[in-house]
Amino acid sequence: MYYRYARGSGELTKLFSARPALDGKPLVKQWPQEIPSRDGLTLVSYLTLPHKADPEQDGKPNTPAPLVLHVHGGPWARDTYGYSSTPQWLANRGYAVLQVNYRGSTGFGKDFVNKSNFEWAGKMHEDLIDAVDWAVKQGITTADQVAIMGGSYGGYATLVGLTFTPDTFKCGVDVVGPSNLMTLFNTFPAYWASFMQQWYHRVGDPRTDEGKQKLLDRSPITHVDKIKKPLLIAQGANDPRVKQAESDQIVEAMKAKNIPVTYVLFPDEGHGFARSENSKAYTAAAEGFLGTCLGGRVEPIGKDLTGSSITVPVGADIVPGLPEALRSHTQAIKN
């Protein structure tokens, strides 16, 4: 919604709605937060609370709610204040949503970015854990009702959450997240050649033996045997940045160790979902998965797979209604 603000009188005049389709819908407010990290940083974050937990919509929960820690990608990007579809969807289903600008996020100065150098699965992850601890202390959620989800780096953070801190999260949803930093580096697209020096400087240098070992140590695939909570992985088969092999290898490793996993694969998608039909199918699967894990509201899958290319090579039975929906689904692949 856009308004004109008169500085003299303080009067607001409504101009127009940027998203008229959302007018009158049961959206909830987003609340900016400043969360302290254990080493003294200020993590600018955003909290979205479901109506049930915050009926007054004053940003102060009356009762704890299951929480989804939604981690942004990049990592050299940031969450911002304003409408975002994923937090609104999750809040509508009964979840509190916390978005954290962990160290490495942009928009907070060069020093804040530099403090993330070589801290993948290190202090960058500690920032996320500090935010979860803060949410528990604030009565937003309870320690046994927290999920982690995200795409790209957020997917990596999800895998790190379930491997490096396996007791913190009740489940995880990883969308196109790398599981092995060595194979990630080896398969970056050729057009990223000019960008690689930044990766060597900020993440690790696989051109040295020491660098290779550090990258492997920070790779979730190295610690896969520590996973003990449910995991949903979504992947596009045509992803040029995070190849399908990144998801395949951790799924295979989990299968080999008899660790349950649900793998949702889209043969006509890349680094995320370009087709609305595929986005809807993923959302239906993720909603059912989170409902099983955290107990939030779930709509029956019904015809939500229609027009999508979704396949579920592993673990469809973990999501209620997904096997039945797949049996009647006609796959639609778009080139």
Side-chain angles (χ1 to χ4, degrees):
M1 201 75 72
Y2 283 78
Y3 294 82
R4 182 180 63 200
Y5 174 68
R7 288 187 293 174
S9 64
E11 182 182 356
L12 283 176
T13 303
K14 181 179 176 181
L15 297 178
F16 61 90
S17 173
R19 294 174 177 266
L22 296 177
D23 290 351
K25 297 296 189 293
L27 304 181
V28 291
K29 295 180 180 180
Q30 183 188 55
W31 300 95
Q33 307 289 336
E34 291 187 349
I35 300 174
S37 73
R38 66 189 68 182
D39 58 351
L41 295 183
T42 297
L43 309 175
V44 175
S45 306
Y46 302 100
L47 175 67
T48 305
L49 293 169
H51 272 292
K52 184 176 181 179
D54 180 19
E56 295 87 5
Q57 281 293 282
D58 59 2
K60 300 175 182 178
N62 293 6
T63 57
L67 182 136
V68 177
L69 179 67
H70 189 248
V71 186
H72 72 71
W76 307 296
R78 63 162 294 178
D79 284 314
T80 57
Y81 181 80
Y83 172 79
S84 181
S85 58
T86 297
Q88 290 294 331
W89 156 53
L90 292 171
N92 184 270
R93 296 320 191 235
Y95 306 118
V97 184
L98 185 59
Q99 299 166 271
V100 181
N101 284 309
Y102 49 85
R103 72 191 68 203
S105 301
T106 53
F108 304 98
K110 184 183 290 185
D111 185 60
F112 193 78
V113 174
N114 288 340
K115 287 185 182 297
S116 73
N117 291 351
F118 308 115
E119 292 295 345
W120 284 42
K123 291 182 179 179
M124 294 169 75
H125 186 62
E126 289 178 357
D127 288 347
L128 299 177
I129 301 302
D130 291 345
V132 170
D133 292 342
W134 171 87
V136 172
K137 290 177 182 177
Q138 295 294 317
I140 293 164
T141 190
T142 56
D144 60 342
Q145 288 288 298
V146 182
I148 182 170
M149 73 181 295
S152 197
Y153 178 86
Y156 166 80
T158 296
L159 298 178
V160 169
L162 296 193
T163 51
F164 284 72
T165 52
D167 295 316
T168 299
F169 300 101
K170 197 169 184 180
C171 62
V173 178
D174 153 34
V175 181
V176 297
S179 65
N180 184 328
L181 296 182
M182 275 301 300
T183 55
L184 176 72
F185 272 71
N186 292 338
T187 56
F188 274 147
Y191 61 81
W192 273 24
S194 62
F195 187 32
M196 290 312 300
Q197 197 59 42
Q198 176 165 323
W199 285 84
Y200 300 149
H201 176 70
R202 297 201 182 281
V203 185
D205 192 341
R207 298 171 297 182
T208 68
D209 290 339
E210 181 183 10
K212 288 179 183 179
Q213 189 58 52
K214 286 183 177 179
L215 289 171
L216 285 173
D217 290 343
R218 300 293 176 95
S219 296
I221 192 72
T222 305
H223 310 278
V224 67
D225 58 327
K226 297 177 183 176
I227 297 177
K228 52 187 177 182
K229 301 295 176 62
L231 174 63
L232 183 145
I233 295 176
Q235 176 71 45
N238 300 323
D239 193 335
R241 304 181 200 174
V242 178
K243 297 287 189 180
Q244 180 183 332
E246 290 299 316
S247 292
D248 286 351
Q249 60 185 300
I250 195 163
V251 168
E252 290 303 315
M254 291 177 70
K255 286 171 56 181
K257 296 179 180 296
N258 295 315
I259 304 172
V261 60
T262 300
Y263 186 21
V264 180
L265 179 64
F266 295 86
D268 58 356
E269 289 290 1
H271 197 61
F273 304 109
R275 292 182 55 215
S276 59
E277 297 89 348
N278 289 337
S279 179
K280 187 175 184 179
Y282 154 74
T283 300
E287 180 175 297
F289 176 83
L290 288 171
T292 298
C293 173
L294 293 180
R297 188 166 68 87
V298 178
E299 291 188 5
I301 293 177
K303 297 182 179 180
D304 287 345
L305 308 188
T306 301
S308 77
S309 66
I310 187 172
T311 65
V312 187
V314 179
D317 58 307
I318 295 174
V319 179
L322 185 55
E324 294 80 5
L326 288 168
R327 281 195 290 270
S328 60
H329 173 57
T330 301
Q331 188 183 39
I333 299 176
K334 298 291 180 67
N335 295 322

